[in-house]
Amino acid sequence: MLDELKKLEKTALVALGQVDTVAGLDAWRTEHLGKKSLLTTTLRGVGKLPPEERPVVGKLAQEVKTALEDALTEARERVLALEQERAAKAERVDVTLPGRPVSLGRLHPVTQTLHRIYDIFAQMGFQVYRAREVETDEYNFQLLNMPPDHPARDMWSTFFTTRDGILLRTHTSPGQIRTMREYCPEPIRVILPGRCYRYEDVTARHETMFYQVEGLAVGRDITMADLKGVLAAFAKRLYGDDRQVRFRCSYFPFTEPSVEVDIDCAICGGEGCRVCKHTGWVEILGAGMVHPQVLRNGGYDPEQFTGFAFGMGPERVTMLKSEIDDIRYFYSNDLRFLAQF
Ligand SMILES: [Zn+2]
């Protein structure tokens, strides 16, 4: 019996020396110290031994048990260290692998179009003039030939503030008056980009906030030919040299005569399609010779000075160039849309 216990201890210790995982330790413990282990059974059976053998066997069995438990504690430390080492090896960062690409932001499609428009007009000598977005009724309407009862005001519903006569501008045109009053009597060549606001239902073609780029040239001997030359050159540079440009009569309260400028439809080549509403032509901007009264309101004598003005929507420009059919995409912050530019 004593020899068996000695042998049991030896076998168990040898087995323990080969264990190198925590799971292995648990299995070893069940096998050698568990309820069904040989050692436990032996300890339980001590009571059935002859009385003279009991103390000797009992004492030795207890000693073996303690030795095994101590060995287990020691082995646990060794195995835990091993497992840590293995984990560190497995999870080691390989610094030679290529990194994950950083997602870069980009300019908003409308901003990109604005930059393109600035470039083209800068090449023709136009400066950028920034005007305010919160305007007075006087600048937004009255000085542009729209007195309070003028029917053309129906085309420009806006947001009014709680202060009488203060509103969000409906177009960039009040900037014309501000520019003229600042530079009179010098000649002027500016573009006036910025946000405008309309109190309208939001649809595929209308937003309550949008951009406009206004242009204004004032000087001596400026004629309709200058207007046509500048705008045709602009249209060809923006939309491509092979685009046809046409001018149609139109009406704006602050220009006389007024025109609308079309280009032939690049998508169908003039054949007619959904984008050009089957006309073969697409409107790109409105323009005209500055109305004499508007010149006068800006401080210029219409007998000596003439000028032309134009206005366009960069959203619409982008929609035409990229075949986008809904203006709401621009301001709904959908990255699937924005990431395409
Ligand atoms: Zn077309």
Side-chain angles (χ1 to χ4, degrees):
M1 178 61 93
L2 294 179
D3 285 346
E4 261 173 53
L5 276 171
K6 280 280 175 204
K7 208 174 135 197
L8 182 153
E9 182 184 5
K10 205 176 166 195
T11 317
L13 286 177
V14 169
L16 186 61
Q18 285 162 359
V19 172
D20 61 354
T21 62
V22 172
L25 285 178
D26 291 340
W28 180 90
R29 182 197 175 87
T30 309
E31 192 186 338
H32 300 281
L33 287 166
K35 281 178 193 159
K36 289 176 185 169
S37 67
L38 195 54
L39 183 63
T40 309
T41 331
T42 312
L43 273 167
R44 246 187 241 133
V46 168
K48 291 172 191 159
L49 291 172
E52 67 274 15
E53 284 181 30
R54 279 181 213 165
V56 190
V57 175
K59 186 168 172 263
L60 183 64
Q62 198 54 55
E63 278 172 10
V64 170
K65 192 180 177 204
T66 310
L68 291 186
E69 279 168 354
D70 290 349
L72 179 63
T73 310
E74 230 169 79
R76 193 171 291 280
E77 272 175 37
R78 171 177 62 83
V79 167
L80 282 176
L82 265 176
E83 292 229 324
Q84 260 177 13
E85 200 179 297
R86 269 197 297 267
K89 253 184 208 162
E91 290 161 23
R92 189 172 52 193
V93 176
D94 182 349
V95 292
T96 64
L97 285 174
R100 292 193 188 91
V102 177
S103 152
L104 285 180
R106 67 193 75 197
L107 293 175
H108 190 275
V110 172
T111 307
Q112 293 181 33
T113 299
L114 282 168
H115 287 182
R116 182 82 189 105
I117 293 171
Y118 298 165
D119 280 350
I120 295 170
F121 281 108
Q123 286 162 12
M124 293 193 268
F126 284 77
Q127 289 177 286
V128 172
Y129 184 94
R130 304 247 173 223
R132 61 194 70 185
E133 288 174 31
V134 180
E135 268 296 359
T136 63
D137 185 278
E138 186 190 16
Y139 274 84
N140 196 75
F141 293 119
Q142 294 169 37
L143 294 171
L144 296 168
N145 276 348
M146 283 179 279
D149 55 353
H150 197 284
R153 285 196 179 207
D154 292 348
M155 290 155 62
W156 287 281
S157 308
T158 187
F159 296 98
F160 292 89
T161 66
T162 48
R163 277 177 64 189
D164 204 26
I166 307 291
L167 47 81
L168 298 184
R169 67 177 177 187
T170 55
H171 47 182
T172 42
S173 307
Q176 289 188 28
I177 303 289
R178 297 203 175 271
T179 318
M180 286 193 274
R181 289 190 171 179
E182 188 173 330
Y183 290 111
C184 182
E186 300 297 323
I188 293 171
R189 224 186 288 176
V190 293
I191 51 171
L192 307 141
R195 291 187 196 86
C196 303
Y197 303 84
R198 299 271 172 95
Y199 180 61
E200 290 186 336
D201 285 339
V202 175
T203 67
R205 300 179 69 83
H206 297 101
E207 263 282 7
T208 51
M209 190 283 291
F210 55 93
Y211 276 84
Q212 260 191 359
V213 179
E214 187 104 0
L216 175 70
V218 176
R220 296 172 200 272
D221 305 321
I222 289 184
T223 70
M224 189 95 182
D226 297 308
L227 177 156
K228 290 185 75 174
V230 166
L231 295 181
F234 166 75
K236 282 172 186 288
R237 284 203 202 161
L238 188 63
Y239 293 100
D241 268 339
D242 47 353
R243 292 271 70 76
Q244 302 286 316
V245 180
R246 78 172 182 184
F247 294 77
R248 277 185 294 116
C249 291
S250 186
Y251 166 76
F252 301 105
F254 34 90
T255 48
E256 180 59 38
S258 303
V259 292
E260 274 176 79
V261 183
D262 299 342
I263 52 170
D264 63 328
C265 178
I267 293 161
C268 63
E271 295 278 303
C273 69
R274 204 170 54 87
V275 172
C276 58
K277 294 190 201 129
H278 303 282
T279 61
W281 295 91
V282 187
E283 183 197 323
I284 56 164
L285 54 87
M289 300 304 291
V290 181
H291 193 286
Q293 186 55 46
V294 174
L295 281 172
R296 217 172 277 128
N297 291 343
Y300 290 85
D301 177 2
E303 296 299 321
Q304 295 182 48
F305 289 88
T306 49
F308 65 84
F310 54 88
M312 71 189 86
E315 287 91 349
R316 191 166 157 67
V317 170
T318 316
M319 287 166 80
L320 274 178
K321 279 181 77 82
S322 305
E323 294 177 44
I324 298 159
D325 56 8
D326 195 325
I327 194 172
R328 289 169 291 194
Y329 286 128
F330 290 113
Y331 304 115
S332 54
N333 285 340
D334 187 338
L335 286 178
R336 289 171 302 179
F337 172 77
L338 296 173
Q340 291 179 50
F341 291 86

